[in-house]
Amino acid sequence: MALNLRQKQTECIIRMLNLNQPVNPTGTANEEVYKMLIYDKFCQNILSPLIHVKDLRKHGVTLYFLIDKDRKPVNDVPAVYFVQPNQSNIQRIVADASRSLYDNFYLNFSSSIPRPLLEDLASGTLNSDSIHRISKVHDQYLEFVTLEDNLFSLSQKSTYLQLNDPSAGDREIEDIIERVVSGLFCVLATLAVVPIIRCPRGGPAEMVASALDQKLRDHLLSKNNLFSEGGSFASSFQRPILCIFDRNFELSAAIQHDFRYRPLVHDILGLKLNRLSVPGEKGGMKSYELDSSDPFWTANGSLEFPEVAVEIETQLNTYKKDVDEVNRRTGGNAGAEFDGTDLIGNTKHLMNAVNSLPELTERKQVIDKHTNIATVLLGQIKERSLDAFVKKENDMMDRGGIDRNELLAVLKGKGTKMDKLRFAITYIISSETIIPAEAEAVEAALIESEVDTSAFQYVKKIKSLNVSLASANSAGRNNIVDWAEKLYGQSISAVTAGVKNLLSSDRQLALTRTVEALMEGKPNPEIDSYLVFDPRAPKSSSGSSSSHLKGPFKEAIVFMIGGGNYVEYGSLQDLAQHQQPVKHVIYGTTEILTGMEFVEQLSQLGHKMGLGNSVATSSATH
């Protein structure tokens, strides 16, 4: 059985709605017990992609509210709370209990509640004489958002900015690392697996891997640990590999434009929690849901946009044919005569037609939805020449540069300010050597278009540090790396190795290629220096790049610190599907970012270092 994060998290939530009792064989909570659901904003985002309002009814939930809204008392109905364990939520729960809002409180925290907060809860309810109302307190380990079967986000905002902030102190960095480790621990606890952890040396990836290894070791020492029940799991025969990376490993994937359907919908239309709104045909906005329940999205998300347009056309024609066929068989077409001699035959056709109507209606809704989305995308592509950006950026990454006239023509052509800024940053990343005159011309073109250049200058500055350190000898190199890391948080280590190897001719991302090598588990110069942590092994062997790994791995969890995207997700899913036998890869990140959102974090870092022109940051987005 493959690891299915979405299914596992949904099962945990249904059990929680069933007052943490085992659920019915049908997989639903006991609907005879009517209950209320109280959640905070974060937990609402966890629930939103997994359980629809209509599903809540199935599980006996009749009313649901945000915790910070004013609520009236409801007697004889238990209240299920699903919230983050923080001070304000604890205070609110104590206030609700002391006002006797509900008879029984079933408290579920999205991650492990710290001891001091638990004591606050106990003393608060004792003092108000309402402790008898607290029926159960559960740590649910669900502090992550699952968007697809193999895609999750910790929803931790601006992690890249915080980790690379030159003014960040050690304590702040440790807090961020601790939050990331806590989120990853929740994912592993939900899957009930203890993986073998691999990561590159240095930077946030090693910090997270080392701290997660320690947290898992400490947890495995306790008798009733969360992983003992995973013994029957098929994956216990061969554990998965967890590959942890930092965004600086491959910066370009977070910035480049992409022409595949899923990344395009996310980047251009702002897909959030599997929902988006686009202008409808007859004016007004239309909201759509794009998840595994949409067969077209699942099947065609990784196709290039022109192929998607062809596929919509094909499905529309097939739908029309099927409708015509139903009409023909039921005598609905013009000029057809009812054949009275074959009454039984006609009745049968009529029954079949009635049965096929819901399926046809559903198909038509899906086709209409994607026709509308594709039409809006096409308008944006034409208006901003997005196809040209994609082609030129890929050429730059392939060739390690671009003709100067071509470069400046793009910056002076169509596209938003943000499109041009992303293009300019991709140029900096792709160039093996930066020609100062060329970089100045690019900057001048950006300023002419009133673009805030702080993100461009930030990447250029760090790239120049890395180029100087790439040419230094290995002994001196470490000193420069240390110096660069002290001065600028983290250095963009990915950029040092001339970027031609970032995208091979078949456009495979460096991330995907590295994960493939790690899953194979064979000696490979690209990954031989990677650290290994095995929380189940004796402590002495951890952290060494030893070869006690039993590859190849069938299952991998890939985690990107500092923001991920649908480009990497799609690339890893393609890798998994094209392996023989088929492998299984889950992709997760601290937050899922569009190119624009990520570049805005780079801009803020540039400003913190005093780089960029005086154009307001907000202007770069228009």
Side-chain angles (χ1 to χ4, degrees):
M1 170 188 164
L3 302 173
N4 187 326
L5 189 58
R6 187 186 171 91
Q7 183 191 330
K8 285 270 176 192
Q9 195 180 22
T10 307
E11 284 168 5
C12 292
I13 286 167
I14 292 170
R15 192 175 64 234
M16 176 183 84
L17 294 177
N18 201 36
L19 310 182
N20 291 297
Q21 301 298 317
V23 295
N24 304 334
T26 53
T28 55
N30 184 353
E31 55 185 303
E32 304 303 313
V33 181
Y34 291 126
K35 56 198 88 88
M36 301 185 55
L37 176 62
I38 315 293
Y39 43 67
D40 60 11
K41 195 77 191 123
F42 189 91
C43 292
Q44 183 182 28
N45 290 347
I46 295 174
L47 295 168
S48 160
L50 299 177
I51 292 202
H52 295 107
V53 171
K54 62 177 185 295
D55 297 330
L56 287 174
R57 296 262 185 278
K58 268 196 308 201
H59 303 300
V61 175
T62 49
L63 292 168
Y64 42 92
F65 298 104
L66 277 163
I67 190 166
D68 51 10
K69 292 275 182 289
D70 283 330
R71 288 165 275 121
K72 293 189 168 55
V74 180
N75 296 325
D76 305 327
V77 176
V80 175
Y81 280 71
F82 181 36
V83 293
Q84 281 187 298
N86 59 38
Q87 194 68 53
S88 62
N89 284 339
I90 295 294
Q91 286 169 354
R92 192 69 200 229
I93 291 167
V94 170
D96 290 353
S98 61
R99 286 174 54 212
S100 310
L101 280 191
Y102 318 111
D103 290 356
N104 297 309
F105 288 64
Y106 290 83
L107 306 180
N108 300 275
F109 294 104
S110 57
S111 63
S112 181
I113 178 170
R115 182 87 196 179
L117 287 180
L118 198 56
E119 288 169 0
D120 287 352
L121 175 68
S123 60
T125 47
L126 260 174
N127 294 341
S128 61
D129 197 24
S130 56
I131 198 158
H132 61 282
R133 297 191 186 283
I134 310 292
S135 301
K136 285 268 170 72
V137 179
H138 280 269
D139 291 336
Q140 290 292 355
Y141 297 100
L142 293 173
E143 198 153 300
F144 57 94
V145 176
T146 307
L147 297 167
E148 299 194 14
D149 290 354
N150 304 319
L151 176 66
F152 72 89
S153 159
L154 300 185
S155 280
Q156 296 178 1
K157 303 256 180 291
S158 304
T159 310
Y160 184 83
L161 172 64
Q162 292 161 6
L163 284 172
N164 292 281
D165 186 340
S167 64
D170 289 352
R171 183 73 222 133
E172 290 156 281
I173 299 288
E174 281 165 24
D175 286 348
I176 298 159
I177 298 297
E178 208 174 295
R179 277 208 308 275
V180 173
V181 168
S182 170
L184 273 174
F185 183 84
C186 288
V187 171
L188 298 175
T190 302
L191 289 169
V193 293
V194 179
I196 286 166
I197 306 167
R198 300 291 310 261
C199 70
R201 288 177 184 276
E206 183 181 342
M207 291 163 86
V208 167
S210 171
L212 180 62
D213 173 59
Q214 192 55 52
K215 190 176 176 85
L216 286 165
R217 281 171 186 281
D218 294 345
H219 185 75
L220 287 169
L221 291 174
S222 60
K223 261 215 167 70
N224 302 329
N225 71 68
L226 295 160
F227 301 98
S228 51
E229 64 203 44
S232 60
F233 212 73
S235 296
S236 57
F237 298 117
Q238 202 224 1
R239 290 152 59 197
I241 183 170
L242 167 61
C243 313
I244 301 178
F245 297 92
D246 164 34
R247 183 66 274 162
N248 287 335
F249 174 78
E250 189 173 18
L251 210 57
S252 54
I255 296 165
Q256 273 182 269
H257 292 84
D258 198 272
F259 218 47
R260 279 163 292 199
Y261 193 41
R262 204 190 264 108
L264 204 55
V265 166
H266 174 239
D267 198 29
I268 308 302
L269 304 178
L271 181 68
K272 280 265 188 294
L273 296 171
N274 295 343
R275 290 190 174 84
L276 58 81
S277 295
V278 294
E281 288 169 18
K282 298 166 186 162
M285 297 298 281
K286 278 191 93 73
S287 286
Y288 294 121
E289 208 153 325
L290 294 169
D291 57 19
S292 51
S293 65
D294 179 333
F296 188 93
W297 179 246
T298 310
N300 303 297
S302 57
L303 294 182
E304 297 268 323
F305 181 71
E307 297 172 280
V308 173
V310 170
E311 186 57 32
I312 292 173
E313 191 72 28
T314 309
Q315 293 206 11
L316 185 60
N317 291 336
T318 313
Y319 166 79
K320 283 177 178 167
K321 267 198 207 118
D322 291 351
V323 170
D324 289 346
E325 179 66 12
V326 168
N327 284 339
R328 189 180 63 74
R329 284 169 173 250
T330 54
N333 55 341
E337 288 187 24
F338 181 68
D339 182 3
T341 55
D342 187 15
L343 195 56
I344 293 170
N346 277 312
T347 308
K348 201 164 140 198
H349 287 318
L350 208 55
M351 288 301 290
N352 287 341
V354 169
N355 291 336
S356 66
L357 275 177
E359 190 259 346
L360 283 171
T361 311
E362 206 171 300
R363 266 167 62 190
K364 182 71 166 76
Q365 283 171 346
V366 170
I367 293 166
D368 286 349
K369 166 164 70 170
H370 289 281
T371 304
N372 198 359
I373 291 170
T375 308
V376 177
L377 280 178
L378 188 60
Q380 288 287 310
I381 290 166
K382 284 182 172 168
E383 190 183 316
R384 292 159 60 179
S385 281
L386 291 174
D387 48 340
F389 280 107
V390 172
K391 187 181 181 317
K392 296 258 177 13
E393 284 169 1
N394 282 338
D395 287 350
M396 282 196 290
M397 296 306 290
D398 272 356
R399 300 205 304 259
I402 186 172
D403 174 70
R404 182 173 177 167
N405 295 336
E406 229 180 312
L407 176 69
L408 296 174
V410 173
L411 292 172
K412 289 176 178 168
K414 286 181 179 176
T416 63
K417 293 175 187 181
M418 184 53 82
D419 290 331
K420 291 174 183 178
L421 182 56
R422 286 166 67 181
F423 181 75
I425 295 172
T426 306
Y427 149 73
I428 284 286
I429 294 173
S430 70
S431 307
E432 288 186 19
T433 51
I434 300 170
I435 303 157
E438 208 167 86
E440 280 164 25
V442 169
E443 209 167 310
L446 289 174
I447 291 168
E448 198 180 313
S449 299
E450 297 181 341
V451 177
D452 174 15
T453 60
S454 50
F456 175 79
Q457 289 193 23
Y458 175 76
V459 176
K460 188 176 80 171
K461 181 131 192 162
I462 289 189
K463 175 76 189 277
S464 66
L465 278 173
N466 280 280
V467 169
S468 65
L469 84 217
S471 59
N473 63 34
S474 56
R477 183 169 192 247
N478 291 336
N479 299 337
I480 300 176
V481 170
D482 291 345
W483 173 76
E485 292 198 346
K486 280 193 185 78
L487 188 60
Y488 300 118
Q490 264 65 43
S491 57
I492 302 181
S493 50
V495 185
T496 58
V499 183
K500 271 213 170 138
N501 70 348
L502 272 188
L503 286 174
S504 52
S505 55
D506 61 353
R507 305 242 181 283
Q508 195 183 41
L509 297 173
L511 175 74
T512 310
R513 202 176 58 243
T514 307
V515 169
E516 185 175 11
L518 288 167
M519 287 183 83
E520 275 176 7
K522 293 179 188 156
N524 182 323
E526 275 199 40
I527 56 158
D528 286 346
S529 66
Y530 275 47
L531 298 172
V532 183
F533 295 91
D534 181 356
R536 285 199 188 276
K539 181 74 176 157
S540 57
S541 64
S542 254
S544 61
S545 42
S546 64
S547 56
H548 77 287
L549 285 173
K550 296 174 246 345
F553 291 89
K554 294 193 196 74
E555 297 166 327
I557 302 162
V558 179
F559 186 76
M560 182 59 78
I561 304 163
N565 50 65
Y566 283 91
V567 176
E568 289 175 333
Y569 171 60
S571 179
L572 289 167
Q573 293 314 304
D574 287 349
L575 168 75
Q577 294 308 314
H578 294 134
Q579 295 278 321
Q580 283 306 330
V582 170
K583 302 276 179 78
H584 190 87
V585 179
I586 293 175
Y587 174 71
T589 175
T590 43
E591 59 178 328
I592 292 180
L593 296 171
T594 63
M596 181 171 100
E597 288 165 341
F598 182 67
V599 169
E600 280 171 350
Q601 291 192 36
L602 292 177
S603 292
Q604 288 183 53
L605 285 170
H607 282 292
K608 282 175 183 288
M609 283 170 56
L611 302 170
N613 51 2
S614 56
V615 180
T617 16
S618 60
S619 69
T621 60
H622 301 307

